[in-house]
Amino acid sequence: QDAIFCARLGLTDEAKEITLKKMTDAPRRYPTFWGPGHDWVPDHNWGGSGMVGLQEMLMAADPYGDGKIYLLPAWPVQWDVDFKLHAPQNTTVEVEVKEGKVVKLNVFPESRRKDIVLNSNFIINDK
């Protein structure tokens, strides 16, 4: 769960390094048969914690009980991304980042846009 914890702590470099290891193809016949489980393969925890860590790097929804949605809290500026995630209060957030700029930010319902907190390492591209 290290990638998850690093993302929640805002440790971008550490979260990046661990997530890359977690999401790399396994050296087995089936690339998603990750390991190393101590007594089993495939290790569903390996890929599962990798995916949760990735989501935590992209969005932290209401981590302080303030209703805020923190975007890209541990996302590397060098990585482009296009995602859609669900947050509390029936909220959906769509974001696209290219070259460190947020080129798409859709929040549904629109009333929740006021609750968005963007990582200060990123800028919103004003076209």
Side-chain angles (χ1 to χ4, degrees), residues 13-106:
D13 291 338
E14 292 86 346
K16 174 184 171 182
E17 180 183 339
I18 296 166
T19 299
L20 286 172
K21 287 178 184 175
K22 289 277 187 179
M23 302 310 287
T24 300
D25 287 345
R28 294 178 174 78
R29 179 176 182 181
Y30 302 103
T32 57
F33 274 29
W34 291 296
H38 297 289
D39 58 358
W40 71 89
V41 168
D43 182 350
H44 64 280
N45 294 320
W46 190 260
S49 66
M51 289 182 279
V52 172
L54 189 66
Q55 290 174 14
E56 295 278 344
M57 292 169 69
L58 293 168
M59 183 175 76
D62 197 24
Y64 307 111
D66 58 1
K68 301 289 184 189
I69 300 168
Y70 296 84
L71 293 180
L72 310 167
W75 193 256
V77 175
Q78 306 82 1
W79 285 4
D80 292 348
V81 67
D82 188 350
F83 68 91
K84 178 180 179 179
L85 290 172
H86 298 273
Q89 300 179 30
N90 292 325
T91 304
T92 304
V93 179
E94 294 178 337
V95 176
E96 183 176 0
V97 175
K98 288 186 180 178
E99 299 177 1
K101 296 178 183 170
V102 177
V103 297
K104 176 178 73 177
L105 174 58
N106 296 323

Coordinates of all heavy atoms in Angstrom, one line a residue, residues 13-106:
D13 N 7.2 12.0 -6.1 CA 8.3 11.2 -6.7 C 8.2 9.7 -6.2 O 8.4 8.8 -6.9 CB 9.7 11.8 -6.3 CG 9.9 13.1 -7.0 OD1 9.3 13.3 -8.1 OD2 10.8 13.9 -6.5
E14 N 7.9 9.6 -4.9 CA 7.8 8.2 -4.3 C 6.6 7.5 -4.9 O 6.7 6.3 -5.2 CB 7.8 8.3 -2.8 CG 9.1 8.8 -2.1 CD 9.2 10.3 -2.0 OE1 8.4 11.0 -2.7 OE2 10.1 10.7 -1.3
A15 N 5.5 8.2 -5.0 CA 4.3 7.6 -5.5 C 4.5 7.2 -6.9 O 4.1 6.1 -7.4 CB 3.1 8.5 -5.4
K16 N 5.2 8.0 -7.7 CA 5.4 7.7 -9.1 C 6.3 6.5 -9.2 O 6.0 5.6 -10.0 CB 6.2 8.9 -9.7 CG 6.7 8.7 -11.1 CD 7.5 9.9 -11.6 CE 8.2 9.7 -12.9 NZ 9.0 10.8 -13.3
E17 N 7.4 6.4 -8.5 CA 8.3 5.3 -8.5 C 7.6 3.9 -8.2 O 7.7 2.9 -8.9 CB 9.5 5.5 -7.6 CG 10.5 4.4 -7.6 CD 11.6 4.6 -6.6 OE1 11.8 5.8 -6.2 OE2 12.2 3.6 -6.2
I18 N 6.8 3.9 -7.1 CA 6.2 2.7 -6.7 C 5.1 2.3 -7.7 O 4.9 1.2 -8.0 CB 5.6 2.9 -5.3 CG1 6.7 3.1 -4.3 CG2 4.7 1.7 -4.9 CD1 6.3 3.6 -2.9
T19 N 4.3 3.3 -8.2 CA 3.2 3.0 -9.1 C 3.8 2.4 -10.4 O 3.2 1.5 -11.0 CB 2.4 4.3 -9.4 OG1 1.8 4.7 -8.2 CG2 1.3 4.0 -10.4
L20 N 4.9 3.0 -10.9 CA 5.5 2.4 -12.1 C 5.9 0.9 -11.9 O 5.7 0.1 -12.8 CB 6.7 3.2 -12.5 CG 6.4 4.5 -13.1 CD1 7.7 5.4 -13.3 CD2 5.7 4.4 -14.5
K21 N 6.4 0.6 -10.7 CA 6.7 -0.8 -10.4 C 5.5 -1.7 -10.3 O 5.4 -2.8 -10.8 CB 7.5 -0.9 -9.1 CG 8.9 -0.4 -9.1 CD 9.6 -0.5 -7.8 CE 10.9 0.1 -7.8 NZ 11.6 0.2 -6.5
K22 N 4.4 -1.1 -9.7 CA 3.2 -1.9 -9.5 C 2.5 -2.2 -10.8 O 1.9 -3.2 -11.0 CB 2.2 -1.1 -8.6 CG 2.6 -1.0 -7.2 CD 2.2 -2.3 -6.4 CE 2.5 -2.2 -5.0 NZ 2.1 -3.4 -4.3
M23 N 2.6 -1.2 -11.8 CA 1.8 -1.4 -13.0 C 2.6 -1.9 -14.2 O 2.1 -2.1 -15.3 CB 1.2 0.0 -13.4 CG 0.3 0.6 -12.3 SD -1.0 -0.6 -11.6 CE -2.1 -0.6 -12.9
T24 N 3.8 -2.3 -13.9 CA 4.7 -2.9 -14.9 C 4.2 -4.4 -15.2 O 3.8 -5.1 -14.2 CB 6.1 -2.9 -14.5 OG1 6.5 -1.6 -14.3 CG2 7.0 -3.6 -15.5
D25 N 4.3 -4.8 -16.4 CA 3.9 -6.2 -16.7 C 4.7 -7.2 -15.9 O 5.9 -7.0 -15.7 CB 4.1 -6.5 -18.2 CG 3.0 -5.9 -19.1 OD1 2.0 -5.4 -18.5 OD2 3.2 -5.8 -20.3
A26 N 4.1 -8.3 -15.4 CA 4.7 -9.3 -14.7 C 5.6 -10.2 -15.6 O 5.2 -10.3 -16.8 CB 3.7 -10.2 -14.0
P27 N 6.6 -10.8 -15.1 CA 7.5 -11.6 -16.0 C 6.9 -13.0 -16.1 O 7.6 -14.0 -16.0 CB 8.8 -11.6 -15.2 CG 8.4 -11.5 -13.8 CD 7.2 -10.6 -13.8
R28 N 5.6 -13.1 -16.3 CA 4.9 -14.4 -16.4 C 4.2 -14.5 -17.7 O 4.2 -13.6 -18.5 CB 4.0 -14.6 -15.2 CG 4.7 -14.7 -13.9 CD 3.7 -14.8 -12.7 NE 4.4 -15.0 -11.5 CZ 5.0 -14.0 -10.8 NH1 5.0 -12.8 -11.3 NH2 5.6 -14.3 -9.7
R29 N 3.7 -15.7 -18.0 CA 3.0 -15.9 -19.3 C 1.9 -14.9 -19.4 O 1.7 -14.4 -20.5 CB 2.4 -17.3 -19.3 CG 1.7 -17.6 -20.5 CD 1.2 -19.0 -20.6 NE 0.5 -19.3 -21.8 CZ 0.0 -20.4 -22.1 NH1 0.1 -21.4 -21.3 NH2 -0.6 -20.6 -23.3
Y30 N 1.2 -14.6 -18.4 CA 0.1 -13.6 -18.4 C 0.6 -12.3 -17.7 O 0.9 -12.3 -16.5 CB -1.2 -14.1 -17.7 CG -1.7 -15.4 -18.4 CD1 -1.4 -16.6 -17.8 CD2 -2.3 -15.3 -19.6 CE1 -1.9 -17.8 -18.4 CE2 -2.7 -16.5 -20.3 CZ -2.5 -17.7 -19.6 OH -2.9 -18.8 -20.3
P31 N 0.7 -11.2 -18.4 CA 1.4 -10.0 -17.8 C 0.7 -9.4 -16.6 O 1.4 -8.7 -15.9 CB 1.4 -9.0 -19.0 CG 0.5 -9.5 -20.0 CD 0.3 -11.0 -19.8
T32 N -0.5 -9.7 -16.4 CA -1.2 -9.2 -15.2 C -1.2 -10.2 -14.0 O -1.8 -9.9 -13.0 CB -2.6 -8.8 -15.5 OG1 -3.4 -9.9 -16.0 CG2 -2.7 -7.6 -16.4
F33 N -0.4 -11.3 -14.1 CA -0.3 -12.2 -13.0 C 0.9 -11.7 -12.2 O 2.0 -12.2 -12.1 CB 0.0 -13.6 -13.5 CG -1.3 -14.4 -13.8 CD1 -2.4 -13.8 -14.2 CD2 -1.3 -15.8 -13.7 CE1 -3.6 -14.5 -14.5 CE2 -2.4 -16.5 -14.0 CZ -3.6 -15.8 -14.3
W34 N 0.6 -10.6 -11.5 CA 1.6 -9.9 -10.7 C 2.1 -10.7 -9.5 O 1.3 -11.6 -9.0 CB 1.1 -8.5 -10.2 CG 0.9 -7.5 -11.3 CD1 1.9 -6.9 -12.1 CD2 -0.3 -6.9 -11.6 NE1 1.3 -6.0 -12.9 CE2 0.0 -6.0 -12.7 CE3 -1.6 -7.0 -11.2 CZ2 -1.0 -5.2 -13.3 CZ3 -2.6 -6.3 -11.8 CH2 -2.3 -5.4 -12.8
G35 N 3.2 -10.4 -9.0 CA 3.7 -11.0 -7.8 C 4.4 -9.9 -7.0 O 4.3 -8.7 -7.5
P36 N 5.1 -10.1 -6.0 CA 5.3 -11.4 -5.5 C 4.4 -11.7 -4.3 O 4.5 -11.2 -3.3 CB 6.7 -11.3 -5.0 CG 6.9 -9.9 -4.5 CD 5.9 -9.1 -5.4
G37 N 3.4 -12.5 -4.6 CA 2.6 -13.0 -3.4 C 3.5 -14.0 -2.7 O 4.3 -14.8 -3.3
H38 N 3.3 -14.1 -1.4 CA 4.2 -15.0 -0.6 C 3.8 -16.4 -0.9 O 4.7 -17.3 -0.8 CB 4.1 -14.7 0.9 CG 4.6 -13.3 1.2 ND1 5.9 -13.0 1.2 CD2 3.9 -12.1 1.5 CE1 6.1 -11.7 1.5 NE2 4.9 -11.2 1.7
D39 N 2.6 -16.7 -1.3 CA 2.2 -18.0 -1.5 C 1.2 -18.2 -2.7 O 0.5 -19.2 -2.8 CB 1.6 -18.7 -0.3 CG 0.5 -17.9 0.3 OD1 0.1 -16.9 -0.2 OD2 -0.1 -18.4 1.3
W40 N 1.1 -17.1 -3.5 CA 0.1 -17.2 -4.6 C 0.5 -16.3 -5.7 O 1.1 -15.3 -5.6 CB -1.3 -16.9 -4.1 CG -1.5 -15.4 -3.8 CD1 -1.8 -14.4 -4.7 CD2 -1.2 -14.8 -2.6 NE1 -1.9 -13.2 -4.1 CE2 -1.5 -13.4 -2.8 CE3 -0.8 -15.2 -1.3 CZ2 -1.3 -12.4 -1.7 CZ3 -0.7 -14.2 -0.3 CH2 -0.9 -12.9 -0.5
V41 N 0.0 -16.7 -6.9 CA 0.1 -15.8 -8.1 C -1.2 -16.2 -8.9 O -1.5 -17.4 -9.0 CB 1.3 -16.2 -9.0 CG1 1.2 -15.5 -10.3 CG2 2.6 -15.7 -8.2
P42 N -1.9 -15.3 -9.4 CA -1.7 -13.8 -9.4 C -1.9 -13.2 -8.0 O -2.8 -13.6 -7.3 CB -2.6 -13.3 -10.4 CG -3.8 -14.2 -10.4 CD -3.2 -15.6 -10.1
D43 N -1.2 -12.1 -7.8 CA -1.4 -11.4 -6.5 C -2.3 -10.2 -6.8 O -1.8 -9.2 -7.3 CB 0.0 -10.9 -6.0 CG -0.1 -10.2 -4.7 OD1 -1.2 -9.8 -4.3 OD2 1.0 -9.9 -4.1
H44 N -3.6 -10.4 -6.5 CA -4.5 -9.3 -6.8 C -4.2 -8.0 -6.1 O -4.6 -6.9 -6.5 CB -6.0 -9.8 -6.6 CG -6.2 -10.1 -5.1 ND1 -5.8 -11.3 -4.6 CD2 -6.8 -9.4 -4.2 CE1 -6.2 -11.3 -3.3 NE2 -6.8 -10.1 -3.0
N45 N -3.6 -8.1 -4.9 CA -3.2 -7.0 -4.1 C -2.2 -6.1 -4.9 O -2.2 -4.8 -4.7 CB -2.7 -7.3 -2.8 CG -3.7 -8.0 -1.9 OD1 -4.8 -7.6 -1.9 ND2 -3.3 -9.1 -1.2
W46 N -1.3 -6.7 -5.6 CA -0.3 -5.9 -6.3 C -0.9 -4.9 -7.3 O -0.7 -3.7 -7.2 CB 0.6 -6.9 -7.1 CG 1.8 -6.3 -7.6 CD1 2.0 -6.0 -8.9 CD2 3.1 -6.0 -7.0 NE1 3.3 -5.5 -9.1 CE2 3.9 -5.5 -7.9 CE3 3.5 -6.2 -5.7 CZ2 5.2 -5.1 -7.6 CZ3 4.8 -5.8 -5.3 CH2 5.6 -5.3 -6.3
G47 N -1.7 -5.4 -8.2 CA -2.4 -4.6 -9.2 C -3.5 -3.7 -8.6 O -3.6 -2.5 -9.0
G48 N -4.2 -4.2 -7.6 CA -5.2 -3.5 -7.0 C -4.7 -2.3 -6.2 O -5.2 -1.2 -6.4
S49 N -3.6 -2.5 -5.5 CA -3.0 -1.3 -4.7 C -2.4 -0.4 -5.7 O -2.3 0.9 -5.5 CB -2.1 -1.8 -3.7 OG -0.9 -2.4 -4.2
G50 N -1.9 -0.9 -6.8 CA -1.3 0.0 -7.9 C -2.4 0.9 -8.5 O -2.2 2.1 -8.6
M51 N -3.6 0.4 -8.7 CA -4.6 1.2 -9.3 C -5.2 2.2 -8.3 O -5.5 3.3 -8.7 CB -5.7 0.2 -9.8 CG -5.3 -0.5 -11.1 SD -6.6 -1.6 -11.8 CE -6.5 -3.0 -10.8
V52 N -5.3 1.8 -7.1 CA -5.8 2.7 -6.0 C -4.8 3.8 -5.9 O -5.2 5.0 -5.7 CB -6.1 2.0 -4.7 CG1 -6.4 3.0 -3.6 CG2 -7.3 1.0 -4.9
G53 N -3.5 3.5 -5.8 CA -2.5 4.5 -5.7 C -2.5 5.5 -6.9 O -2.4 6.7 -6.6
L54 N -2.8 5.0 -8.0 CA -2.9 5.8 -9.2 C -4.0 6.8 -9.1 O -3.9 8.0 -9.3 CB -3.0 5.0 -10.5 CG -3.0 5.6 -11.8 CD1 -1.6 6.2 -12.1 CD2 -3.3 4.6 -12.9
Q55 N -5.2 6.3 -8.6 CA -6.3 7.2 -8.4 C -6.1 8.2 -7.3 O -6.5 9.4 -7.5 CB -7.6 6.3 -8.1 CG -8.1 5.5 -9.2 CD -9.2 4.6 -8.8 OE1 -9.8 4.7 -7.8 NE2 -9.5 3.6 -9.7
E56 N -5.4 7.8 -6.3 CA -5.1 8.8 -5.2 C -4.1 9.8 -5.7 O -4.1 11.0 -5.2 CB -4.5 8.0 -4.0 CG -5.5 7.1 -3.3 CD -6.4 7.7 -2.4 OE1 -6.2 8.9 -2.0 OE2 -7.4 7.1 -2.0
M57 N -3.3 9.5 -6.6 CA -2.4 10.5 -7.2 C -3.2 11.5 -8.0 O -2.8 12.7 -8.1 CB -1.3 9.8 -8.1 CG -0.3 9.0 -7.4 SD 0.7 8.0 -8.5 CE 1.7 9.3 -9.2
L58 N -4.3 11.1 -8.6 CA -5.1 12.0 -9.4 C -6.1 12.8 -8.7 O -6.3 14.0 -9.0 CB -5.9 11.1 -10.5 CG -5.0 10.4 -11.5 CD1 -5.9 9.4 -12.3 CD2 -4.4 11.4 -12.5
M59 N -6.7 12.3 -7.6 CA -7.7 13.0 -6.9 C -7.9 12.5 -5.5 O -7.9 11.3 -5.2 CB -9.1 12.8 -7.7 CG -10.2 13.6 -7.0 SD -11.8 13.4 -8.0 CE -12.3 11.8 -7.5
A60 N -8.0 13.5 -4.6 CA -8.3 13.2 -3.2 C -9.6 13.9 -2.9 O -9.7 15.1 -2.9 CB -7.2 13.7 -2.3
A61 N -10.6 13.1 -2.7 CA -12.0 13.6 -2.5 C -12.3 13.7 -1.0 O -12.3 12.6 -0.3 CB -13.0 12.8 -3.2
D62 N -12.5 14.9 -0.5 CA -12.9 15.1 0.9 C -12.0 14.5 1.9 O -12.4 13.9 2.9 CB -14.3 14.6 1.1 CG -15.0 15.2 2.3 OD1 -14.6 16.3 2.8 OD2 -15.9 14.5 2.8
P63 N -10.6 14.6 1.8 CA -9.7 13.9 2.7 C -9.7 14.6 4.1 O -9.4 14.0 5.1 CB -8.4 14.0 2.1 CG -8.5 15.3 1.2 CD -9.9 15.3 0.7
Y64 N -10.2 15.8 4.2 CA -10.2 16.6 5.5 C -11.6 16.8 6.0 O -11.7 17.5 7.0 CB -9.5 17.9 5.3 CG -8.1 17.8 4.7 CD1 -7.8 18.2 3.4 CD2 -7.0 17.2 5.4 CE1 -6.6 18.1 2.8 CE2 -5.8 17.0 4.8 CZ -5.6 17.5 3.6 OH -4.3 17.4 3.0
G65 N -12.6 16.2 5.3 CA -13.9 16.4 5.8 C -14.5 17.8 5.5 O -15.5 18.2 6.0
D66 N -13.8 18.5 4.5 CA -14.2 19.9 4.2 C -15.0 19.9 2.9 O -15.4 21.0 2.4 CB -13.0 20.8 4.0 CG -12.0 20.3 3.0 OD1 -12.2 19.3 2.3 OD2 -11.0 21.0 2.8
G67 N -15.3 18.8 2.3 CA -16.1 18.7 1.0 C -15.3 19.1 -0.2 O -15.8 19.0 -1.3
K68 N -14.0 19.4 0.0 CA -13.2 19.8 -1.2 C -12.7 18.6 -2.0 O -12.6 17.5 -1.5 CB -11.9 20.6 -0.7 CG -12.3 21.8 0.1 CD -12.8 22.9 -0.8 CE -13.0 24.2 0.0 NZ -13.8 25.2 -0.8
I69 N -12.4 18.8 -3.3 CA -11.9 17.8 -4.2 C -10.5 18.3 -4.6 O -10.4 19.3 -5.3 CB -12.8 17.6 -5.4 CG1 -14.2 17.1 -4.9 CG2 -12.2 16.6 -6.3 CD1 -15.3 17.2 -6.0
Y70 N -9.5 17.6 -4.2 CA -8.1 18.0 -4.5 C -7.7 17.3 -5.7 O -7.6 16.0 -5.7 CB -7.2 17.7 -3.3 CG -7.6 18.5 -2.1 CD1 -8.6 18.1 -1.2 CD2 -7.0 19.8 -1.9 CE1 -9.0 18.9 -0.1 CE2 -7.3 20.5 -0.8 CZ -8.3 20.1 0.1 OH -8.7 20.9 1.2
L71 N -7.4 18.0 -6.8 CA -7.0 17.4 -8.1 C -5.5 17.4 -8.2 O -4.8 18.4 -7.9 CB -7.6 18.2 -9.2 CG -9.1 18.1 -9.4 CD1 -9.6 18.9 -10.6 CD2 -9.6 16.7 -9.5
L72 N -5.0 16.3 -8.7 CA -3.6 16.0 -9.0 C -2.7 16.3 -7.8 O -1.6 16.8 -7.9 CB -3.2 17.0 -10.2 CG -4.1 16.9 -11.4 CD1 -3.8 18.0 -12.4 CD2 -4.0 15.5 -12.1
P73 N -3.1 15.8 -6.6 CA -2.3 16.1 -5.4 C -0.9 15.5 -5.4 O 0.0 16.0 -4.7 CB -3.2 15.5 -4.3 CG -3.9 14.4 -4.9 CD -4.2 14.9 -6.3
A74 N -0.7 14.4 -6.2 CA 0.6 13.8 -6.2 C 0.9 13.3 -7.6 O 1.6 12.3 -7.8 CB 0.7 12.6 -5.2
W75 N 0.5 14.1 -8.6 CA 0.7 13.7 -10.0 C 1.9 14.4 -10.5 O 2.1 15.6 -10.4 CB -0.5 14.1 -10.8 CG -0.5 13.5 -12.2 CD1 -0.2 14.1 -13.4 CD2 -0.8 12.1 -12.5 NE1 -0.3 13.2 -14.4 CE2 -0.6 11.9 -13.9 CE3 -1.2 11.0 -11.7 CZ2 -0.8 10.7 -14.5 CZ3 -1.4 9.8 -12.3 CH2 -1.2 9.7 -13.7
P76 N 2.8 13.6 -11.2 CA 4.0 14.2 -11.8 C 3.6 15.2 -12.9 O 2.8 14.9 -13.8 CB 4.8 13.1 -12.4 CG 4.2 11.9 -11.7 CD 2.8 12.2 -11.4
V77 N 4.2 16.4 -12.9 CA 3.9 17.4 -13.9 C 4.3 16.9 -15.3 O 3.6 17.3 -16.3 CB 4.6 18.7 -13.6 CG1 4.4 19.8 -14.6 CG2 4.1 19.3 -12.2
Q78 N 5.2 16.1 -15.4 CA 5.7 15.6 -16.7 C 4.8 14.6 -17.3 O 5.0 14.3 -18.5 CB 7.1 14.9 -16.5 CG 8.2 15.8 -15.9 CD 8.1 15.7 -14.3 OE1 7.2 15.1 -13.7 NE2 8.9 16.5 -13.7
W79 N 3.8 14.1 -16.6 CA 2.9 13.0 -17.1 C 1.6 13.7 -17.6 O 0.9 14.3 -16.9 CB 2.6 12.0 -16.1 CG 3.7 11.0 -15.7 CD1 4.9 11.0 -16.2 CD2 3.5 10.0 -14.8 NE1 5.6 10.0 -15.6 CE2 4.8 9.3 -14.7 CE3 2.5 9.5 -14.0 CZ2 5.0 8.2 -13.9 CZ3 2.7 8.4 -13.2 CH2 4.0 7.8 -13.1
D80 N 1.3 13.4 -18.9 CA 0.0 13.8 -19.4 C -1.0 12.8 -18.9 O -0.7 11.6 -18.7 CB 0.0 13.8 -21.0 CG 0.9 14.9 -21.6 OD1 1.3 15.8 -20.8 OD2 1.2 14.8 -22.8
V81 N -2.2 13.2 -18.8 CA -3.3 12.3 -18.3 C -4.6 12.8 -18.8 O -4.8 14.0 -19.0 CB -3.2 12.1 -16.8 CG1 -3.6 13.4 -16.1 CG2 -4.1 11.0 -16.3
D82 N -5.6 11.9 -19.0 CA -7.0 12.2 -19.3 C -7.8 11.2 -18.5 O -7.7 10.0 -18.7 CB -7.2 12.0 -20.8 CG -8.5 12.5 -21.3 OD1 -9.4 12.8 -20.4 OD2 -8.8 12.6 -22.5
F83 N -8.6 11.7 -17.5 CA -9.3 10.8 -16.7 C -10.7 11.4 -16.3 O -11.0 12.5 -16.4 CB -8.5 10.5 -15.4 CG -8.4 11.7 -14.4 CD1 -9.3 11.9 -13.4 CD2 -7.3 12.5 -14.5 CE1 -9.2 13.0 -12.5 CE2 -7.1 13.6 -13.6 CZ -8.1 13.8 -12.6
K84 N -11.5 10.4 -15.8 CA -12.8 10.7 -15.3 C -13.0 9.9 -14.0 O -12.9 8.7 -14.1 CB -13.9 10.4 -16.3 CG -15.3 10.6 -15.9 CD -16.3 10.2 -17.0 CE -17.7 10.4 -16.6 NZ -18.7 10.0 -17.7
L85 N -13.2 10.6 -12.9 CA -13.4 9.9 -11.6 C -14.6 10.4 -10.9 O -15.1 11.6 -11.1 CB -12.2 10.1 -10.7 CG -10.9 9.4 -11.2 CD1 -9.7 9.8 -10.3 CD2 -11.0 7.9 -11.1
H86 N -15.2 9.6 -10.1 CA -16.3 10.0 -9.3 C -15.9 10.4 -7.9 O -15.0 9.8 -7.3 CB -17.3 8.8 -9.2 CG -17.9 8.4 -10.5 ND1 -18.9 9.0 -11.1 CD2 -17.4 7.5 -11.4 CE1 -19.2 8.5 -12.3 NE2 -18.2 7.6 -12.5
A87 N -16.6 11.4 -7.3 CA -16.3 11.9 -6.0 C -17.6 11.9 -5.2 O -18.7 11.7 -5.7 CB -15.8 13.3 -6.1
P88 N -17.5 12.2 -3.9 CA -18.7 12.3 -3.1 C -19.7 13.3 -3.6 O -19.4 14.2 -4.4 CB -18.2 12.6 -1.7 CG -16.8 12.2 -1.7 CD -16.3 12.4 -3.1
Q89 N -20.9 13.2 -3.1 CA -22.0 14.1 -3.4 C -22.4 14.0 -4.9 O -22.7 15.0 -5.5 CB -21.7 15.6 -3.0 CG -21.4 15.7 -1.5 CD -21.1 17.2 -1.2 OE1 -21.5 18.1 -1.8 NE2 -20.2 17.3 -0.1
N90 N -22.4 12.8 -5.4 CA -22.8 12.6 -6.8 C -22.0 13.4 -7.8 O -22.6 14.0 -8.7 CB -24.3 12.7 -7.0 CG -25.1 11.7 -6.3 OD1 -24.7 10.5 -6.2 ND2 -26.3 12.0 -5.8
T91 N -20.8 13.6 -7.6 CA -19.9 14.4 -8.4 C -19.0 13.6 -9.3 O -18.5 12.6 -8.9 CB -19.0 15.3 -7.5 OG1 -19.8 16.0 -6.6 CG2 -18.2 16.3 -8.3
T92 N -18.9 14.1 -10.5 CA -18.0 13.5 -11.5 C -17.0 14.6 -11.9 O -17.4 15.7 -12.2 CB -18.8 13.0 -12.7 OG1 -19.8 12.0 -12.3 CG2 -17.9 12.3 -13.7
V93 N -15.7 14.2 -12.0 CA -14.7 15.1 -12.4 C -14.0 14.6 -13.6 O -13.5 13.4 -13.6 CB -13.7 15.4 -11.3 CG1 -12.6 16.4 -11.7 CG2 -14.4 15.9 -10.1
E94 N -13.9 15.4 -14.7 CA -13.1 15.0 -15.9 C -12.0 16.0 -16.0 O -12.2 17.2 -16.0 CB -14.0 15.0 -17.1 CG -15.1 14.0 -17.2 CD -15.9 14.2 -18.4 OE1 -16.0 15.3 -19.0 OE2 -16.6 13.2 -18.8
V95 N -10.8 15.4 -16.2 CA -9.6 16.3 -16.3 C -8.7 15.7 -17.4 O -8.5 14.5 -17.6 CB -8.8 16.3 -15.0 CG1 -7.5 17.1 -15.1 CG2 -9.7 16.9 -13.9
E96 N -8.1 16.7 -18.2 CA -7.1 16.3 -19.1 C -5.9 17.3 -18.9 O -6.1 18.5 -18.8 CB -7.5 16.4 -20.6 CG -6.5 16.0 -21.6 CD -7.0 16.0 -23.0 OE1 -8.2 16.3 -23.3 OE2 -6.2 15.6 -23.9
V97 N -4.7 16.7 -18.8 CA -3.5 17.5 -18.6 C -2.5 17.1 -19.7 O -2.3 16.0 -20.1 CB -2.8 17.1 -17.2 CG1 -1.5 17.8 -17.1 CG2 -3.7 17.4 -16.1
K98 N -2.0 18.2 -20.3 CA -1.0 18.1 -21.4 C 0.1 19.1 -21.1 O -0.1 20.2 -20.9 CB -1.6 18.4 -22.8 CG -2.5 17.3 -23.3 CD -2.9 17.6 -24.7 CE -3.8 16.5 -25.2 NZ -4.3 16.8 -26.6
E99 N 1.3 18.5 -21.0 CA 2.5 19.3 -20.7 C 2.4 20.3 -19.5 O 2.7 21.4 -19.6 CB 2.9 20.1 -22.0 CG 3.2 19.3 -23.2 CD 3.5 20.0 -24.5 OE1 3.5 21.3 -24.5 OE2 3.7 19.4 -25.5
G100 N 1.8 19.7 -18.5 CA 1.7 20.4 -17.2 C 0.6 21.4 -17.2 O 0.4 22.2 -16.2
K101 N -0.3 21.5 -18.2 CA -1.4 22.4 -18.2 C -2.7 21.6 -18.2 O -2.9 20.6 -19.0 CB -1.3 23.3 -19.5 CG -0.1 24.2 -19.5 CD -0.1 25.0 -20.8 CE 1.2 25.8 -20.8 NZ 1.4 26.4 -22.1
V102 N -3.6 22.1 -17.4 CA -5.0 21.5 -17.4 C -5.7 22.0 -18.6 O -6.1 23.2 -18.6 CB -5.7 21.8 -16.1 CG1 -7.1 21.2 -16.2 CG2 -5.0 21.2 -14.9
V103 N -6.0 21.2 -19.6 CA -6.6 21.7 -20.8 C -8.1 21.3 -20.8 O -8.9 21.8 -21.7 CB -5.9 21.1 -22.1 CG1 -4.5 21.6 -22.2 CG2 -6.0 19.6 -22.1
K104 N -8.5 20.5 -19.9 CA -9.9 20.2 -19.8 C -10.2 20.0 -18.3 O -9.5 19.3 -17.6 CB -10.3 18.9 -20.5 CG -11.8 18.5 -20.3 CD -12.2 17.3 -21.1 CE -11.5 16.0 -20.6 NZ -11.9 14.8 -21.3
L105 N -11.3 20.7 -17.8 CA -11.7 20.5 -16.4 C -13.2 20.6 -16.4 O -13.8 21.7 -16.6 CB -11.1 21.5 -15.5 CG -11.7 21.5 -14.0 CD1 -11.5 20.2 -13.4 CD2 -11.0 22.6 -13.2
N106 N -13.9 19.5 -16.3 CA -15.4 19.4 -16.3 C -15.8 18.9 -14.9 O -15.2 17.8 -14.5 CB -15.9 18.5 -17.4 CG -15.6 19.1 -18.8 OD1 -15.7 20.3 -19.0 ND2 -15.4 18.2 -19.7

